[in-house]
Amino acid sequence: MKTTIKDVAAYAGFSIATVSRAINAPHSVNRVTLEKIREAIDALQFSPNPLGRQLRSDRTRLIGIVLPTLANPVFAECLQGIDELASAQGYRLMLMTTQYDADRERHAIETLRAQRVEGLILTVADADTHPLLDELDHAGLRYVLMHNDTVRRPAVSVDNRLAAYEGVRMLIAHGHRHILMLAGTLAESDRARLRYVGYSQAMQQAGLTPAPALEVDFNADELAPSVLAHLTKGATRPTALFCSNDLLAMVVMRGLRRASYSVPEHMSILGFDGLAVGELLSPPLASLCTPNREIGCAAWQRLMNRIEGVDDGSSLSLTLPHTLRVGETVGAISDIVGQR
Amino acid sequence: MKTTIKDVAAYAGFSIATVSRAINAPHSVNRVTLEKIREAIDALQFSPNPLGRQLRSDRTRLIGIVLPTLANPVFAECLQGIDELASAQGYRLMLMTTQYDADRERHAIETLRAQRVEGLILTVADADTHPLLDELDHAGLRYVLMHNDTVRRPAVSVDNRLAAYEGVRMLIAHGHRHILMLAGTLAESDRARLRYVGYSQAMQQAGLTPAPALEVDFNADELAPSVLAHLTKGATRPTALFCSNDLLAMVVMRGLRRASYSVPEHMSILGFDGLAVGELLSPPLASLCTPNREIGCAAWQRLMNRIEGVDDGSSLSLTLPHTLRVGETVGAISDIVGQR
DNA sequence: TTGAAAGCGCTAACAG
DNA sequence: CTGTTAGCGCTTTCAA
């Protein structure tokens, strides 16, 4: 694509300024002039180079997206929501993933800033303690967090504490008293922490003792023997597991099954995220569902409001409703088969 | 970020040309000068505006990615592979999704071209008959296809025909004679077509009659009754299903289960894609696995070769090996329980 | 080794 | 309504 606005101007017999106007403010141009210029544009297959425009007008219509990973459908779904609105509104997305790595988070944000994105939508490990975000605030670069559960920054998420609380209450209502929370190895995210708080509160309120969260590497192919032992041995073995995310829940389910424990007969399982594939499992996974697509859309809306100055003055963080998908992986304690 | 190269030049006491050299060709600058300029850059927190650079030097280091959807992990995984290499090599990715819609494919490609991406990695519905790709060839914009199975254009994929052929042979080896192929509603992709060819060849070679592919809407929550009837009624009801992708296979499995058909006792199922979640199902889904991440990486490599002129002269399309994941959803015909 | 100056493609005053 | 002109931030001759 080598044709520039100059070529069009020459071809149409007008100045480049008029061509520019014909493109950006057609009403301010004489009808016949406009017509001629449009013909020229067609004939030359001209498409304005955004770089020139961006450089000059300081508007890139570029939004940076920073996500931990696309391997977890949670984020892929958010991105779907964002992409839908963005392309409808003429913005382009620049994507970087971080694998939850702090260095990569930093690198991504810096790269995107250097590229002059007009705003950022991101999910970081821990929003409250993130120095880069303060920097962004300070530099005046607009951003909105997704899934990060904090009141200190602009964020869209569910109420992780409450969702976990309700989920665990449900387990308790099914008669479970020994309920263990399982967390991924990257347990130190704001939301994981809040989910643990919700778990603890539900337990305590029922007069039960919350146990420390058990860390499980859910990238491993098999459940570690020590973990399996923890889940299945001893007088106080748990009868229900609250997993901090669905991927983890699914891996645990498979691990238990391979060890000949069946769900929910021997063990009840509750996940978090509400992945669509969870419903396709057998039995379908019970889970706390987050509206991922909507979270993406809402994050976009808020970012646009901030960029376009429609600062609605609403509180920083937006909490979207979660839902409890009942599934079939949670059974009543009375149905539980004794330890094998 | 308002500081420009001018500010740095003023601060360091040199011309902007020298600052530019200090950044882009440090060896051509006096050591002490370089030092001073670097200090200035640090002090001012200067980061060069890529727009200026890009406009001037006609290199954007931007790559456009066009994918049907992120809802299917197949594409999310490819993107992971691409992102890994891209960010390591200092390229940025601009992402657009199309939902398999031709208009959106066109729009995405045009937007990305206008943005002056240096290359394109895409997955389209049908590569051979795609007029836009000819246009790209003609315009000299480099691109590489992913998953599109064609020899006419630069592409990275598996041998879809062969993979399907092998999969169906395996079903036949298990004693199945009534094997039906199920396809999504967007059956008219090059790869879906080739998978059907593979299915047909395997059938014919075994002296069996291939049936027309049955279209199934796998976005629906339930299997349509007509489909279910097709799968379960009649003397010639299939004993095995070859599904053109894993998502479809999973939905069908659920549908059968809800209708009280069990897999593989009543029906064997073979998928295509090898989604990681398929292994977490119970029983684990048998599938033809495509190396998605590797496909993404390979596509990137080829694109880079083309962009950087290392045209290795190798044939246009690259075929990566697929694997057959045995799973447990395929049973021998002798185990099949009669129609209920 | 460094600087002056031109210009990438475009927009936005300011005149006319 | 249209043209002239001056940059946006940067790289790159060409001289010095």
Side-chain angles (χ1 to χ4, degrees):
Chain A
M1 183 73 60
K2 309 210 63 170
T3 62
T4 79
I5 199 172
K6 265 188 197 158
D7 303 319
V8 177
Y11 186 101
F14 292 91
S15 73
I16 61 168
T18 303
V19 175
S20 176
R21 275 185 224 105
I23 294 170
N24 301 298
H27 53 274
S28 73
V29 167
N30 183 293
R31 300 187 62 80
V32 289
T33 306
L34 187 58
E35 201 47 50
K36 282 184 188 161
I37 291 177
R38 288 204 163 139
E39 276 168 21
I41 289 177
D42 283 358
L44 272 45
Q45 300 227 62
F46 170 69
S47 146
N49 185 334
L51 296 175
R53 181 182 304 198
Q54 288 161 3
L55 185 56
R56 174 65 220 231
S57 58
D58 230 8
R59 291 224 53 187
T60 59
R61 300 210 140 225
L62 239 44
I63 301 293
I65 310 288
V66 180
L67 260 24
T69 172
L70 261 13
N72 191 330
V74 168
F75 301 116
E77 284 174 18
C78 289
L79 188 47
Q80 281 282 128
I82 296 171
D83 179 65
E84 221 60 47
L85 296 180
S87 61
Q89 295 178 33
Y91 281 81
R92 266 121 345 192
L93 302 181
M94 203 164 276
L95 171 73
M96 308 198 71
T97 65
T98 64
Q99 313 299 327
Y100 296 98
D101 179 285
D103 285 343
R104 290 187 59 171
E105 279 179 359
R106 161 168 288 279
H107 175 246
I109 293 175
E110 280 172 356
T111 303
L112 263 11
R113 275 182 74 180
Q115 192 70 38
R116 267 57 177 184
V117 295
E118 290 186 27
L120 235 32
I121 296 182
L122 22 73
T123 301
V124 297
D126 193 324
D128 282 343
T129 67
H130 212 299
L132 268 75
L133 297 179
D134 292 321
E135 242 176 87
L136 292 184
D137 283 329
H138 190 256
L141 181 54
R142 314 297 185 187
Y143 68 92
V144 176
L145 297 164
M146 283 188 309
H147 279 291
N148 288 109
D149 195 348
T150 171
V151 291
R152 296 186 44 218
R153 305 183 187 281
V156 179
S157 71
V158 297
D159 186 332
N160 283 275
R161 186 204 57 75
L162 180 62
Y165 174 84
E166 290 175 0
V168 175
R169 295 261 307 169
M170 182 272 282
L171 293 175
I172 294 170
H174 277 76
H176 294 278
R177 299 187 60 79
H178 295 292
I179 304 172
L180 190 59
M181 175 160 169
L182 266 39
T185 43
L186 278 137
E188 268 323 292
S189 70
D190 41 34
R191 45 210 177 285
R193 214 163 33 239
L194 286 165
R195 289 172 197 176
Y196 184 74
V197 170
Y199 156 80
S200 298
Q201 290 179 341
M203 292 294 277
Q204 280 166 346
Q205 189 178 317
L208 303 172
T209 312
L214 181 62
E215 278 205 5
V216 178
D217 176 9
F218 65 100
N219 290 314
D221 214 38
E222 294 283 342
L223 233 41
S226 63
V227 171
L228 199 57
H230 207 302
L231 300 186
T232 56
K233 299 247 172 67
T236 60
R237 78 166 188 93
T239 61
L241 302 176
F242 170 47
C243 301
S244 74
N245 68 65
D246 277 1
L247 250 26
L248 176 58
M250 289 164 66
V251 168
V252 169
M253 262 174 81
R254 181 182 58 174
L256 286 172
R257 194 149 45 214
R258 284 189 181 162
S260 302
Y261 284 81
S262 63
V263 175
E265 288 76 11
H266 296 108
M267 182 77 86
S268 288
I269 293 194
L270 173 64
F272 204 118
D273 287 340
L275 294 190
V277 290
E279 275 195 297
L280 300 177
L281 297 187
S282 97
L285 178 64
S287 186
L288 292 148
C289 305
T290 57
N292 297 317
R293 187 189 192 77
E294 286 74 14
I295 288 177
C297 290
W300 177 266
Q301 276 312 348
R302 290 175 87 73
L303 186 61
M304 282 304 116
N305 286 347
R306 298 190 72 192
I307 287 178
E308 281 156 15
V310 193
D311 214 329
D312 47 3
S314 61
S315 65
L316 282 177
S317 62
L318 173 66
T319 302
L320 261 33
H322 57 270
T323 56
L324 175 60
R325 187 172 70 206
V326 176
E328 295 170 21
T329 55
V330 172
I333 189 69
S334 52
D335 300 332
I336 291 262
V337 178
Q339 222 175 309
R340 37 170 260 133
Chain B
M1 181 73 60
K2 308 211 64 167
T3 62
T4 78
I5 200 172
K6 266 188 198 160
D7 303 319
V8 177
Y11 186 102
F14 292 91
S15 73
I16 61 167
T18 304
V19 175
S20 176
R21 275 185 223 106
I23 294 170
N24 301 299
H27 52 275
S28 73
V29 168
N30 184 296
R31 301 187 62 81
V32 289
T33 306
L34 186 58
E35 201 46 52
K36 282 183 187 161
I37 290 177
R38 289 204 165 140
E39 276 167 22
I41 289 177
D42 282 359
L44 271 43
Q45 300 225 64
F46 171 68
S47 145
N49 185 332
L51 295 175
R53 184 185 304 206
Q54 288 161 2
L55 185 56
R56 175 61 220 235
S57 57
D58 229 9
R59 292 224 51 187
T60 59
R61 300 211 139 224
L62 239 44
I63 301 294
I65 311 287
V66 179
L67 260 25
T69 172
L70 260 14
N72 191 330
V74 168
F75 300 116
E77 285 173 17
C78 289
L79 188 48
Q80 281 282 130
I82 295 171
D83 179 65
E84 221 60 49
L85 296 181
S87 60
Q89 295 178 31
Y91 280 81
R92 267 124 342 198
L93 301 182
M94 202 163 276
L95 171 74
M96 309 198 72
T97 65
T98 64
Q99 313 300 325
Y100 295 98
D101 179 285
D103 284 344
R104 291 186 59 171
E105 280 179 0
R106 159 167 290 278
H107 176 246
I109 293 176
E110 280 172 357
T111 304
L112 263 10
R113 276 182 75 179
Q115 192 70 38
R116 268 53 177 186
V117 296
E118 291 186 24
L120 236 32
I121 296 182
L122 23 72
T123 301
V124 297
D126 194 324
D128 282 342
T129 67
H130 212 298
L132 269 76
L133 297 179
D134 292 322
E135 240 175 272
L136 291 185
D137 283 328
H138 189 257
L141 181 53
R142 314 295 186 189
Y143 68 91
V144 176
L145 297 163
M146 283 188 310
H147 279 290
N148 288 109
D149 195 347
T150 171
V151 291
R152 296 187 42 218
R153 305 182 187 280
V156 179
S157 71
V158 297
D159 185 333
N160 283 276
R161 188 205 54 77
L162 180 63
Y165 173 84
E166 290 174 1
V168 175
R169 295 263 307 170
M170 182 272 282
L171 293 175
I172 294 171
H174 277 77
H176 295 278
R177 300 188 58 81
H178 296 292
I179 304 172
L180 190 59
M181 175 160 169
L182 265 41
T185 42
L186 279 137
E188 269 323 293
S189 70
D190 42 33
R191 44 209 178 285
R193 214 162 33 236
L194 286 165
R195 289 172 196 176
Y196 184 74
V197 171
Y199 156 79
S200 298
Q201 289 178 342
M203 292 294 278
Q204 281 165 346
Q205 188 178 315
L208 303 172
T209 311
L214 181 63
E215 280 205 4
V216 178
D217 176 8
F218 66 100
N219 290 315
D221 215 36
E222 294 282 343
L223 233 39
S226 63
V227 171
L228 199 58
H230 206 305
L231 301 187
T232 56
K233 299 250 172 65
T236 59
R237 78 166 188 92
T239 60
L241 301 176
F242 170 46
C243 301
S244 73
N245 68 65
D246 276 1
L247 250 27
L248 176 59
M250 290 164 65
V251 169
V252 169
M253 262 175 80
R254 181 181 58 175
L256 287 171
R257 195 150 45 216
R258 285 190 180 160
S260 301
Y261 285 80
S262 63
V263 175
E265 287 77 12
H266 296 109
M267 183 78 85
S268 288
I269 293 194
L270 174 64
F272 203 118
D273 288 340
L275 294 190
V277 289
E279 276 195 296
L280 299 176
L281 298 186
S282 99
L285 178 63
S287 187
L288 292 149
C289 305
T290 57
N292 297 317
R293 189 189 192 76
E294 287 73 17
I295 287 177
C297 291
W300 177 265
Q301 278 310 350
R302 290 176 85 74
L303 185 62
M304 282 304 117
N305 286 346
R306 298 191 74 192
I307 287 177
E308 281 156 14
V310 193
D311 213 329
D312 47 3
S314 60
S315 65
L316 281 177
S317 63
L318 173 66
T319 302
L320 260 35
H322 58 269
T323 56
L324 175 60
R325 187 173 70 205
V326 176
E328 295 170 21
T329 55
V330 172
I333 189 70
S334 53
D335 300 333
I336 293 258
V337 179
Q339 225 175 309
R340 29 169 268 132

